[in-house]
Structure formats: C-alpha cells, structure tokens
Amino acid sequence: LVQPMDRIQKSILEQINSKKIEGYKYLYDNYFASLCSFSAHFVGNRDEAEDIVQEVIIRIWNGRATFNSLAALTSFLYVSVKNASLNTIRDHSKECHGVAGCNCFAAEDKIVDQLMIEEEFYRYIYAEVNKLTPERRNIILLSIEGFSNQEIAEKTGVSVNTVKTLKLKTYRLLRSAFETIHTFPLFFIKLS
C-alpha cells in the first residue's frame, strides 16, 4: 500500500527541490550520520566518508534533480554516496598502485543493498529515539552502547528498577512506531 505524503514530507521535498536551507538542514539532521556510516563501510575512514557525504549533498544543491518522494530522495542519496565512495576507492587505488582498473573493494550488490537497509533502519531508529524525553533517550542510548542496567543506573543516578521500567515502556513505544518495519524485532532482541 502506498500512503499519501503528509504535509511535513511535502514541505520538506519542496524545500529541498527549491534549494532552501531548511530542506538541507533536514537532510543533515536526518541523513548525514547514516550516510557517513554507510560510506565508511567502503572507504574505511570516517573523515573521508564525511567529505564524500558533504560533496554529495552539495552536488544535490547545485544540481537540477528534483524529488517527488522521500523514498526517491533516500534512494538517490544512498546510490550517490555508494558511487562516490567507490570512485574515491578507485582514485586512491590509482594513486597508490598505479594500476589502472584495479578495484580494491569488490562489493557485491547484495552486500551493498544490505548495508543500505541497515543504515536506513538505524536512521529510523535514531530519529524515533531522538523524539523521546531526555531521560528515556539517555537510557536507551546507553543501552544501545552496551551498558548493563546496573551501569545505566549508576550513570544516570536512578535505580535499576527505574531503568528496567523505562526501558520496557520505551521499547513498547518504539515497537509501535515500527509496526510497519518487518525487521524491527532483531533490533529489540539485540537491546534486551
């Protein structure tokens, strides 16, 4: 089922298509970290990945492409970052080895697709986590980082039972936000 775009999505797309700063702030706030992580899988360097993503966003700003949906924009961003990352690897390969056509990263499309899905999924998760109250957000982020309930309690200054209760309530809230994503249970299993 294709659902109609809501007003917020339409507004964001209009801002991006008409080269307004607010639209590009949305791109940065909602996509930059995921795209950098995606690129870093290829180039192996976070700083270089950030440069690649910035260049892609600047190319969109300077280009003539327009987008009719956030899904189209998301696909365009990931494909552009993938291509720019692979071009960077190719260019480094030529500089370092002088061997034309040598590609030190032979990624299969299946692996690339999986990376794109993972990064987009984590982007959704962090967008939802950022909507939480500061106390719940802090507890969930510490949990994502791998801290135990006891360690989270010590870091936040609340009881272990409070940590457990807030985590449980927050997981329920996040689960309801992700009802349409079929792979969400894997994330919550990892956090338990």
Side-chain angles (χ1 to χ4, degrees), residues 2 8 11 13 15 17 38 47 52 81 92 110-111 188:
V2 176
I8 295 170
S11 173
L13 287 172
Q15 292 170 356
N17 289 336
F38 179 63
D47 291 336
I52 288 167
V81 168
H92 285 316
K110 186 176 180 181
I111 295 169
F188 292 105

Side-chain angles (χ1 to χ4, degrees), residues 139-180:
I139 287 171
I140 293 300
L141 290 175
L142 288 169
S143 181
I144 290 172
E145 290 178 32
F147 290 101
S148 69
N149 290 340
Q150 180 65 42
E151 292 169 323
I152 294 170
E154 291 168 7
K155 287 182 176 292
T156 59
V158 298
S159 72
V160 173
N161 286 336
T162 300
V163 170
K164 289 178 184 178
T165 301
L166 287 176
K167 279 175 66 174
L168 180 65
K169 288 179 179 179
T170 304
Y171 289 160
R172 287 180 183 155
L173 182 69
L174 291 173
R175 279 188 182 108
S176 68
F178 287 101
E179 285 178 344
T180 58

Side-chain angles (χ1 to χ4, degrees), residues 17-137:
N17 289 336
S18 60
K19 314 297 184 199
K20 299 224 166 130
I21 297 292
E22 297 85 7
Y24 286 82
K25 182 180 181 328
Y26 173 86
L27 279 183
Y28 182 82
D29 291 345
N30 291 278
Y31 287 90
F32 188 78
S34 293
L35 290 170
C36 288
S37 179
F38 179 63
S39 178
H41 284 292
F42 296 100
V43 297
N45 179 310
R46 182 71 183 190
D47 291 336
E48 193 162 32
E50 288 179 3
D51 291 344
I52 288 167
V53 173
Q54 288 173 2
E55 288 174 21
V56 166
I57 292 173
I58 289 169
R59 271 190 251 135
I60 293 171
W61 175 273
N62 291 329
R64 296 177 190 233
T66 58
F67 306 95
N68 58 9
S69 70
L70 285 180
L73 171 64
T74 300
S75 294
F76 185 85
L77 284 166
Y78 278 100
V79 169
S80 296
V81 168
K82 176 192 83 167
N83 291 339
S85 298
L86 294 176
N87 287 341
T88 298
I89 291 168
R90 182 198 63 217
D91 294 345
H92 285 316
S93 178
K94 286 179 183 177
E95 289 171 12
C96 296
H97 305 294
V99 178
C102 176
N103 187 357
C104 60
F105 185 87
E108 294 181 27
D109 286 340
K110 186 176 180 181
I111 295 169
V112 173
D113 290 346
Q114 183 62 32
L115 288 172
M116 286 173 33
I117 290 166
E118 281 181 28
E119 291 306 328
E120 188 60 8
F121 182 67
Y122 285 118
R123 187 182 72 79
Y124 281 121
I125 290 169
Y126 280 101
E128 290 300 319
V129 167
N130 284 331
K131 294 177 186 176
L132 298 171
T133 63
E135 183 179 42
R136 283 187 180 190
R137 181 173 50 241

